[in-house]
Amino acid sequence: MAAKIQSLDEAPNLPMTGAAYLPGVAYDEMFAPGGEVRGHYAPLQSRMATLGASALADRQKTLERSFLLQGITFTVYGAGSATERIIPTDLFPRIIPAAEWAKIESGLTQRLLALNMFLADIYGEQKILMDGVVPRDLVLGAPSYRREMQNLYVPHKSYANVCGSDLIRGQDGQFAVLEDNLRVPSGVSYMLANRDAAKRTFPGTYREAGVRPVERYPDLLLATLKSMSADWRSDPQVVVLTPGVYNSAYYEHAYLARLMGVPLVEGRDLVVHDNMVYMRTTTGLRRVDVIYRRVDDDFIDPLTFRRDSSLGAAGLFNAYRAGNVVICNAPGTGVADDKAVYAFVPDIIRYYLGEDPILPNIETYLCREKSQLSHVLANLDKLVVKAVGASGGYGMLVGPHASAQERAEFAEALKADPGNYIAQPTIQLSTAPCLVDGRIEPRHVDLRPFILSGEKTIVTPGALTRVALKRGSLVVNSSQGGGSKDTWVLAEENGHSNGNGNGHSNGHKGNGQ
Amino acid sequence: MMLARVADSLYWLGRYIERAEHLSRLSSVMLNATLDQTDSGVQAVWIALSAVGDSETGKVSPYDAALALVLDRSDPNSVVSSLTMARENARQVRDQITTETWERLNVLYLRVTDPNAEAEFADNSVAFLHDVIADVHLFKGAADATMSHGESWRFMMLGMYLERAQLVSSLLEVCFAPAPGREINDHLALVSLLRMACALEPYLRVYTAEIEPRHILEFLVFDEDFPRSIRFATSRIEEHLATLARHVEAAGRAAPERLAGKLKARLQFADVDELEAGGAGSLLTAVVNECARIHEAIYETFVSYPLELRLPA
């Protein structure tokens, strides 16, 4: 991979010109292979060209300052003191044209529909296992499979109400699904914060481009959560359950609670009595109907799951089983985003919907199969190997970037427990221009759109674009030094004046405000 | 309706903010007073340090004492610790306070925890403290102007006024409770005292530049309109508690609003003659103790009540 990694002197000085920016072998979001700017990037390109290095640096600084003030930070504990760091964020938006988005949207809707049907099936009649489409032991043996969920009524058969899928764009320019996140996906607050910042950084360009708004996410989330509660509860009480202020996503939990206008509770605020869930308020106990939990399955109820957890509420799961409270996402959804089950998602889609998948999977080798294991072991230097149970970029080997010793160590681990690993070809993620140390350089990006599913399924027209800030790195996880940038989904094809660099608006009106 | 834990955090947010403001002002006045090499300066230092419970005054220079009072992170009663705790509490209830209010507090926190804070303080401590106090005022203004004046805001105000009543009482106790060989009667020291209570200008408008201990007591204990008098603070405490308690219907609870009402009445019907006749100390001590009882009653009523009493029938 990475046959042609950008070298520093190839990077353009500012103001940037297309000719000096060499994206390398990966698909570049902004430049076509011939060096010309892709049509949907033209308004941004003309703005970038007029801004000098210092103007861009100023804007980047303003952006970072605003994140710091809002408290969009994580804490780094150092010698005797704690300092606040912002999540790195890049000021150039990533732009997706309307037609491409239409395909992503229908593909994600199809996929989540099938995955929810899969969950309803395996926690119900298990037809798909009986028909041998997905191996029985793979599902029932997965640590994320929750026997406790068997035969439980879930409204609208919507197990995963909030989903954040990771898409990548390969060298051929096609989007594919890398991972489904059906447990407690995070990042949506960065999508909203990035949008807020982008509107202030490039207001004219934003208006001219015709960008679809993402600001409705909180109220759509609330409507989705409410649609999960029982009909007879009028005006259901929704709460957000957070592990607390030391959780790395706490900012997001508080942000969503604030924008939905619902209480942000911790486990210690909840009391279960007679299979009803209450929260302790200043005026006594008050009934809770829907819990949007941002706590992992294992920790929500010490009586049912991990006994040492103090993050949940004792008796919560029984109240859920009794139908007196709704937990979103439902416990046990993790089995559908299991890295080994992932390989079967195209079959799952065909099985339930009778359709071909709109968005392809990445080719995946299951090391539990002997023949595939030997292929993986023979090609470790070309593959990415992932532990089935791990996430966040941990427990992962990027073959082409690893040393011979690292590969040898990983090979031993693979042979010892092949069922725990899958492998995929190393995908050259697409690149997008980023401001790095005063230069505009290509960096690899992925795409995390957010899908809501309750009574209806809604794909938010926007996403979190995660950026691997290290040159040449393919790992975008924030725990591994990744950053993010805003993602503009255009309302209509070529919703801008093509290549017009003088800021003349051609009168296109997007939905974006 | 709000979470008990949230009410607790908002209450402490109010207390810590008030404490940070008070400590900043004490330090600032103290440093200003010592610019003149007079006995009044020494007295001002003694007042400030005694008010924060530092009895071993005179061992360190006023500058070092102020530096510790403001920026010592290991001291839980410093400005930086108070603001850190205020922000920590605000973070716990980030969904309850407006972005405008949060940002003011966050700016303040970032200012005092900045790695250069000590250098800035050394460079011009009075300007540094002036900015901190101004930021606290901006925070309070943002809270007043942007938050709904409902339950959240009331719990914050409750914490602020309880802290204020206790701080002003302690400050007056230091100066006017009989202590052997210590009588504050120096004009400039009394001016410093008024400054520490942020009361100099309002005082002058009522009593002119005749600075008398008796008038200071009257003003800081009994004045109806001055926001830092004990009477004003207890009236607000009573008012907020009466509103907050309206929706609590548990029998046998501690009724903090009644305790606050009694304290308010006591201050309403006493006057400075009585105070001087009986010695200021006993009333001021009573205020501090009553505030502590009200604090406990708030907890029993709103925060850590026994669950058996509140389960649905």
Side-chain angles (χ1 to χ4, degrees):
Chain A
M1 61 142 298
K4 186 176 168 193
I5 285 205
Q6 192 86 13
S7 76
L8 257 179
D9 42 307
E10 281 174 305
N13 286 314
L14 290 160
M16 79 173 272
T17 56
Y21 172 91
L22 293 172
V25 293
Y27 179 96
D28 191 75
E29 298 286 335
M30 183 161 171
F31 292 98
E36 65 276 19
V37 174
R38 297 183 195 277
H40 56 279
Y41 262 97
L44 180 67
Q45 198 261 344
S46 57
R47 188 72 188 106
M48 284 161 85
T50 60
L51 288 170
S54 69
L56 284 174
D58 281 351
R59 275 163 207 242
Q60 180 73 32
K61 213 179 274 171
T62 311
L63 176 66
E64 285 169 5
R65 175 82 185 152
S66 115
F67 273 51
L68 184 65
L69 287 191
Q70 289 176 67
I72 313 177
T73 53
F74 59 98
T75 310
V76 182
Y77 296 93
S81 69
T83 46
E84 305 264 327
R85 295 271 171 78
I86 63 163
I87 312 291
T89 179
D90 182 70
L91 80 175
F92 299 129
R94 184 255 193 94
I95 305 175
I96 299 179
E100 275 183 2
W101 183 257
K103 185 179 172 193
I104 291 173
E105 185 171 357
S106 56
L108 290 173
T109 308
Q110 177 197 49
R111 197 170 171 102
L112 187 56
L113 185 63
L115 287 174
N116 270 323
M117 290 171 85
F118 172 67
L119 285 163
D121 188 12
I122 61 160
Y123 288 124
E125 297 175 68
Q126 304 192 331
K127 282 188 189 149
I128 196 166
L129 305 184
M130 284 187 261
D131 289 337
V133 177
V134 181
R136 179 179 289 272
D137 65 311
L138 191 71
V139 173
L140 303 187
S144 46
Y145 171 78
R146 301 285 172 195
R147 185 168 47 82
E148 298 84 351
M149 287 294 294
Q150 207 64 44
N151 298 317
L152 197 79
Y153 168 73
V154 172
H156 318 298
K157 296 197 172 171
S158 237
Y159 285 74
N161 309 106
V162 181
C163 169
S165 294
D166 290 338
L167 307 189
I168 57 174
R169 198 206 279 270
Q171 254 165 295
D172 57 357
Q174 294 305 306
F175 281 102
V177 180
L178 182 66
E179 210 172 281
D180 303 286
N181 293 294
L182 306 179
R183 304 170 199 212
V184 281
S186 61
V188 77
S189 59
Y190 297 116
M191 170 183 86
L192 295 167
N194 282 340
R195 174 56 54 87
D196 198 47
K199 280 182 176 174
R200 276 179 280 146
T201 314
F202 295 112
T205 315
Y206 181 84
R207 199 180 301 115
E208 194 189 342
V211 182
R212 293 178 65 185
V214 292
E215 286 79 356
R216 289 209 55 196
Y217 183 84
D219 71 275
L220 293 173
L221 173 61
L222 182 64
T224 301
L225 295 170
K226 281 191 168 180
S227 80
M228 295 301 290
S229 82
D231 307 336
W232 63 84
R233 294 288 295 168
S234 64
D235 200 13
Q237 175 69 57
V238 176
V239 300
V240 177
L241 174 64
T242 174
V245 71
Y246 297 107
N247 186 274
S248 59
Y250 176 79
Y251 168 79
E252 176 157 311
H253 309 157
Y255 184 88
L256 291 174
R258 187 158 44 92
L259 291 190
M260 287 195 286
V262 305
L264 177 66
V265 306
E266 295 179 17
R268 56 191 160 126
D269 298 321
L270 298 177
V271 179
V272 183
H273 177 71
D274 250 357
N275 277 346
M276 309 269 184
V277 182
Y278 300 91
M279 55 184 172
R280 294 179 69 120
T281 77
T282 51
T283 53
L285 298 178
R286 172 135 171 181
R287 177 90 184 262
V288 172
D289 296 289
V290 182
I291 300 176
Y292 175 38
R293 49 89 177 221
R294 297 297 299 260
V295 175
D296 288 334
D297 282 2
D298 274 337
F299 299 97
I300 53 174
D301 183 352
L303 293 183
T304 308
F305 303 111
R306 273 179 66 157
R307 277 195 282 170
D308 59 347
S309 167
S310 57
L311 301 177
L316 180 59
F317 193 80
N318 273 343
Y320 177 59
R321 275 206 80 99
N324 292 330
V325 72
V326 180
I327 300 174
C328 300
N329 293 347
T333 48
V335 69
D337 72 16
D338 183 276
K339 288 190 168 71
V341 172
Y342 164 87
F344 295 92
V345 174
D347 296 331
I348 290 172
I349 294 174
R350 285 186 204 101
Y351 181 80
Y352 292 111
L353 301 176
E355 301 167 3
D356 279 325
I358 298 168
L359 289 172
N361 254 19
I362 305 292
E363 192 184 359
T364 301
Y365 305 100
L366 295 172
C367 301
R368 67 203 293 271
E369 311 286 338
K370 269 219 168 79
S371 59
Q372 303 196 13
L373 174 65
S374 51
H375 174 83
V376 170
L377 287 172
N379 294 284
L380 264 189
D381 58 333
K382 299 187 193 72
L383 298 170
V384 176
V385 188
K386 297 175 182 172
V388 172
S391 65
Y394 295 103
M396 185 169 140
L397 176 87
V398 183
H401 290 189
S403 67
Q405 195 198 341
E406 282 169 325
R407 285 201 293 267
E409 282 167 17
F410 226 84
E412 288 312 308
L414 265 173
K415 281 182 233 161
D417 185 12
N420 191 34
Y421 292 93
I422 58 140
Q424 293 168 332
T426 307
I427 308 286
Q428 201 42 287
L429 307 188
S430 62
T431 54
C434 297
L435 188 67
V436 183
D437 299 332
R439 289 163 177 272
I440 298 173
E441 295 183 20
R443 285 291 181 272
H444 292 292
V445 296
D446 79 346
L447 183 75
R448 176 177 282 190
F450 296 92
I451 310 114
L452 295 170
S453 163
E455 206 171 1
K456 288 180 286 191
T457 300
I458 306 156
V459 182
T460 306
L464 181 68
T465 288
R466 298 190 295 174
V467 183
L469 284 173
K470 261 184 270 168
R471 165 185 303 272
S473 166
L474 294 171
V475 184
V476 295
N477 304 73
S478 58
S479 50
Q480 312 283 323
S484 76
K485 55 164 68 208
D486 191 24
T487 309
W488 293 3
V489 172
L490 300 186
E492 41 192 303
E493 211 49 42
N494 295 320
H496 51 82
S497 49
N498 207 349
N500 184 338
N502 300 323
H504 296 305
S505 171
N506 65 351
H508 271 286
K509 300 267 192 305
N511 296 334
Q513 274 303 310
Chain B
M1 184 282 303
M2 71 189 306
L3 288 176
R5 173 179 57 82
V6 166
D8 183 30
S9 284
L10 286 163
Y11 170 78
W12 278 105
L13 169 57
R15 289 201 79 133
Y16 280 120
I17 275 289
E18 189 65 21
R19 195 173 296 176
E21 181 184 343
H22 184 73
L23 292 174
S24 305
R25 194 173 286 111
L26 287 188
S27 311
S28 169
V29 174
M30 176 170 88
L31 286 174
N32 239 320
T34 49
L35 292 178
D36 296 315
Q37 301 278 339
T38 60
D39 189 47
S40 356
V42 177
Q43 284 199 28
V45 172
W46 181 82
I47 294 172
L49 294 181
S50 306
V52 298
D54 190 350
S55 51
E56 314 220 331
T57 61
K59 283 202 175 158
V60 291
S61 75
Y63 173 81
D64 288 336
L67 178 65
L69 207 51
V70 176
L71 290 175
D72 184 356
R73 290 194 202 200
S74 63
D75 177 0
N77 284 315
S78 65
V79 172
V80 65
S81 298
S82 300
L83 287 174
T84 304
M85 290 304 292
R87 180 176 180 274
E88 199 58 31
N89 277 288
R91 238 160 77 75
Q92 302 260 9
V93 296
R94 181 62 189 86
D95 57 318
Q96 294 284 326
I97 49 179
T98 56
T99 300
E100 289 82 357
T101 314
W102 159 261
E103 282 198 8
R104 286 349 298 165
L105 179 57
N106 203 23
V107 167
L108 190 49
Y109 166 81
L110 293 171
R111 182 196 293 284
V112 293
T113 53
D114 192 280
N116 295 322
E118 202 159 320
E120 276 180 50
F121 187 85
D123 186 40
N124 189 344
S125 39
V126 173
F128 183 88
L129 290 167
H130 173 270
D131 288 353
V132 169
I133 294 169
D135 277 352
V136 171
H137 289 161
L138 284 176
F139 168 84
K140 289 178 172 176
D144 185 74
T146 65
M147 281 175 67
S148 258
H149 288 200
E151 239 187 326
S152 313
W153 179 79
R154 283 187 195 279
F155 272 105
M156 209 164 99
M157 292 297 120
L158 198 54
M160 230 179 71
Y161 282 114
L162 258 171
E163 184 73 20
R164 184 178 294 176
Q166 287 188 312
L167 291 172
V168 174
S169 303
S170 311
L171 183 63
L172 292 176
E173 250 186 318
V174 165
C175 301
F176 300 117
R182 278 285 182 186
E183 197 155 319
I184 307 291
N185 47 22
D186 174 84
H187 181 84
L188 289 176
L190 289 172
V191 167
S192 290
L193 169 62
L194 281 168
R195 281 185 205 247
M196 288 176 196
C198 195
L200 182 61
E201 290 171 27
Y203 174 94
L204 294 177
R205 288 175 49 107
V206 178
Y207 298 96
T208 72
E210 291 169 6
I211 314 266
E212 298 283 344
R214 177 189 157 84
H215 289 158
I216 293 177
L217 265 177
E218 186 172 54
F219 190 62
L220 288 179
V221 178
F222 296 116
D223 194 86
E224 235 184 302
D225 302 322
F226 179 59
R228 286 165 199 281
S229 79
I230 298 171
R231 178 166 169 195
F232 186 97
T234 48
S235 295
R236 295 294 90 73
I237 293 166
E238 194 266 345
E239 189 182 301
H240 291 309
L241 278 174
T243 312
L244 289 169
R246 216 176 280 157
H247 303 289
V248 185
E249 282 164 11
R253 64 187 182 81
E257 73 278 15
R258 279 194 15 239
L259 294 175
K262 272 160 77 180
L263 179 60
K264 178 186 152 186
R266 182 165 175 188
L267 289 163
Q268 213 166 345
F269 297 112
D271 62 28
V272 72
D273 293 330
E274 233 179 286
L275 188 61
E276 284 201 318
S282 64
L283 178 72
L284 294 168
T285 311
V287 170
V288 173
N289 292 341
E290 276 307 299
C291 285
R293 279 182 63 190
I294 294 170
H295 169 87
E296 279 166 26
I298 289 172
Y299 266 74
E300 282 172 43
T301 300
F302 299 107
V303 183
S304 47
Y305 49 80
L307 285 181
E308 313 82 84
L309 300 179
R310 309 286 180 90
L311 284 172

